[in-house]
Amino acid sequence: MHFVWNNTALRIVSFVPEKLKIPAGAAIVAGVILIGGFTSPESVDNTRDNRAVSLFGLAVIIFVMWATSKHRKAVKWHTVIVGMLVQFIVALFVLRSGAGYNIFSFVSELATDLLHFANEGTSFLTDPTVPELGWFLVGVL
């Protein structure tokens, strides 16, 4: 695997000038997100218009965070770009594969069970009616 990586990806990247590596990476990630986001079939709640609004919101949030930063030049765009790509890949894994959905469903059930144990502990320490109030803060303490 190391041989393949060194003789394919690293050779291609070595031809890209240093100043263009971050913009090229951003363009590739944007292309992957746009192609992956807009080529899948639409449903009632998942139209291309809704996807475009979500992507625009993501771009606005990143821009606002950058614009309100005291040290704009210190932003490590490589980390932002890779983080967005990883987030998109995880989302595709969870939403498009049965295994991903099952894994996250299992983790969700474990978290729900843990919160139920917290409700039992709260009932033990206080009054049995306190967990029924629905206060998240009391349930996780």
Side-chain angles (χ1 to χ4, degrees):
M1 187 66 158
H2 185 66
F3 174 78
V4 173
W5 179 257
N6 285 337
N7 290 317
T8 56
L10 289 182
R11 285 203 179 175
I12 293 169
V13 170
S14 69
F15 292 120
V16 178
E18 195 63 38
K19 285 187 173 184
L20 293 178
K21 285 186 179 180
I22 297 294
I28 290 171
V29 169
V32 166
I33 290 174
L34 288 173
I35 290 170
F38 288 106
T39 57
S40 60
E42 292 187 35
S43 64
V44 176
D45 293 333
N46 189 9
T47 63
R48 287 189 174 84
D49 293 339
N50 289 345
R51 297 175 199 171
V53 168
S54 298
L55 289 175
F56 179 72
L58 181 64
V60 167
I61 287 172
I62 290 173
F63 175 76
V64 167
M65 293 297 133
W66 173 80
T68 58
S69 174
K70 284 185 178 180
H71 308 288
R72 291 185 187 131
K73 290 185 180 183
V75 174
K76 296 189 186 320
W77 288 108
H78 182 268
T79 306
V80 174
I81 293 166
V82 170
M84 288 180 54
L85 183 62
V86 169
Q87 180 181 0
F88 183 73
I89 290 170
V90 169
L92 282 180
F93 175 68
V94 171
L95 297 174
R96 302 283 184 219
S97 72
Y101 179 81
N102 290 339
I103 289 169
F104 276 80
S105 178
F106 175 71
V107 171
S108 171
E109 289 175 14
L110 291 178
T112 303
D113 291 343
L114 182 64
L115 287 176
H116 287 302
F117 289 135
N119 286 342
E120 291 176 17
T122 302
S123 297
F124 177 74
L125 292 175
T126 60
D127 187 29
T129 60
V130 172
E132 296 171 7
L133 295 174
W135 296 347
F136 181 76
L137 179 66
V138 173
V140 297
L141 290 177

